[in-house]
Amino acid sequence: MSIRFLVIDGFNLIRRIYEARIHKDKHQSEPRDVSAQDMFQVIEATKTSLARALKAHQPTHAAVVMEHHDKTWRHLLYPEYKANRSETPPMLLSKLPEFAAAFTDIGVQSFGIDSYEADDVVATLASVVAANNGEVVILSTDKSYLQLVNDKVIVYDHFANKRCDRAYIKEKYGIDQQQYVDYLALVGANSNNIKGVQGVGPKSAVILLSEHGSLDRILSAQPDSAMLRKVNASSPDALRSKQLVTLKIDVELGQNLKSFRL
């Protein structure tokens, strides 16, 4: 039987549902206190949402990859990494074992790896499955996963019911899928406090990539325009940004694919 693997970015799913339920009144000036009953309802809603995803995608295998919320190699490389993010609600963090137990109730194993973000673990798992000729659906609204898209891997926005494949990337960003990491290196990733190249926005990045093909070629080109000179002067920032946005696909998972069979 061929593998069809549903990989769930666990905290992405949990946080989206938590925010929608706890802060559903957009007119609130301050977040209200969160009760144990609130959290029970969020856990149940997340469990139901995952069950809906299983029904929709009909996977043979599934895993929820969870964040350990510890320091990672990106923080060591760039101390300001994610410094612009608000603190994760302590109540939500304290309930993560209960979310994992709820996922187990419907047959889906949860796991995470110390010192690695879920992004790198998801990327490695997807790459391993694809290398074994399996199909992968990554359930997340995190656009960093678009760099993994190929004939075997897609990203699925569970909340917008949107399939994000190569055609989506071309239509949404105006670039080819293999240029996506270089695009992020140029424009940055605001949600992670990665700055990119100052003065280079999405339109400029698309023009540069359409003319030169890749970040390496942009940096090696003769700086005969204001935009090229700007990127050339900020080459250390661009290269560091590329390193930060590139997902690792060689994390030691310590798991056998068979353990995720449904």
Side-chain angles (χ1 to χ4, degrees), residues 186 200 203-214 218 225 227-228 231:
L186 290 166
V200 175
K203 291 182 179 178
S204 300
V206 170
I207 292 170
L208 288 167
L209 289 169
S210 66
E211 291 177 350
H212 301 279
S214 69
I218 292 169
S225 70
M227 191 58 63
L228 281 173
V231 178

Side-chain angles (χ1 to χ4, degrees), residues 24 30 36 56 79 86 91 100 108 119-120 138 169 189 207 219 224 241 253 257:
K24 57 186 176 184
E30 295 291 337
S86 57
M91 170 74 87
V108 182
D119 305 41
D120 294 317
I138 299 172
I169 295 169
I207 292 170
L219 294 175
D224 53 8
S241 294
L253 297 175
L257 292 184

Side-chain angles (χ1 to χ4, degrees), residues 17-234:
I17 293 173
Y18 173 87
E19 294 294 341
R21 286 188 163 257
I22 301 302
H23 304 304
K24 57 186 176 184
D25 184 355
K26 296 181 179 179
H27 300 292
Q28 284 180 250
S29 59
E30 295 291 337
R32 63 181 176 82
D33 291 337
V34 180
S35 68
Q37 180 62 24
D38 288 329
M39 288 308 307
F40 173 79
Q41 292 175 355
V42 171
I43 292 168
E44 287 300 301
T46 308
K47 180 180 175 180
T48 299
S49 190
L50 178 54
R52 179 165 63 87
L54 292 172
K55 184 176 180 180
H57 297 284
Q58 294 291 302
T60 60
H61 299 66
V64 176
V65 179
M66 299 294 285
E67 291 278 358
H68 282 180
H69 293 87
D70 52 2
K71 295 294 184 182
T72 70
W73 64 271
R74 289 186 179 88
H75 293 95
L76 298 177
L77 176 65
Y78 180 53
E80 292 81 20
Y81 181 64
K82 291 187 176 181
N84 58 337
R85 289 200 179 183
S86 57
E87 183 182 0
T88 302
M91 170 74 87
L92 185 57
L93 285 177
S94 71
K95 295 293 183 179
L96 291 183
E98 293 182 34
F99 281 99
F103 300 149
T104 301
D105 286 345
I106 54 175
V108 182
Q109 179 182 339
S110 302
F111 81 112
I113 296 176
D114 291 341
S115 302
Y116 285 100
E117 291 181 81
D119 305 41
D120 294 317
V121 180
V122 169
T124 299
L125 187 53
S127 298
V128 169
V129 173
N132 283 275
N133 209 34
E135 296 179 4
V136 182
V137 177
I138 299 172
L139 201 75
S140 183
T141 61
D142 186 342
K143 295 300 187 287
S144 67
Y145 293 122
L146 295 177
Q147 64 188 269
L148 304 173
V149 166
N150 56 38
D151 291 340
K152 298 290 186 182
V153 180
I154 68 160
V155 178
Y156 197 84
D157 184 334
H158 181 61
F159 300 96
N161 291 321
K162 183 178 294 183
R163 175 188 172 95
C164 304
D165 53 14
R166 283 172 169 160
Y168 167 85
I169 295 169
K170 187 69 173 180
E171 180 182 355
K172 175 76 174 177
Y173 299 98
I175 55 174
D176 293 331
Q177 184 278 332
Q178 63 269 25
Q179 296 175 310
Y180 188 71
V181 169
D182 289 347
Y183 173 84
L184 289 181
L186 290 166
V187 304
N190 289 336
S191 63
N192 291 329
N193 203 37
I194 299 173
K195 304 300 184 184
V197 176
Q198 187 174 5
V200 175
K203 291 182 179 178
S204 300
V206 170
I207 292 170
L208 288 167
L209 289 169
S210 66
E211 291 177 350
H212 301 279
S214 69
L215 179 61
D216 287 343
R217 290 180 180 176
I218 292 169
L219 294 175
S220 62
Q222 279 291 104
D224 53 8
S225 70
M227 191 58 63
L228 281 173
R229 285 192 290 273
K230 187 176 292 186
V231 178
N232 193 270
S234 299

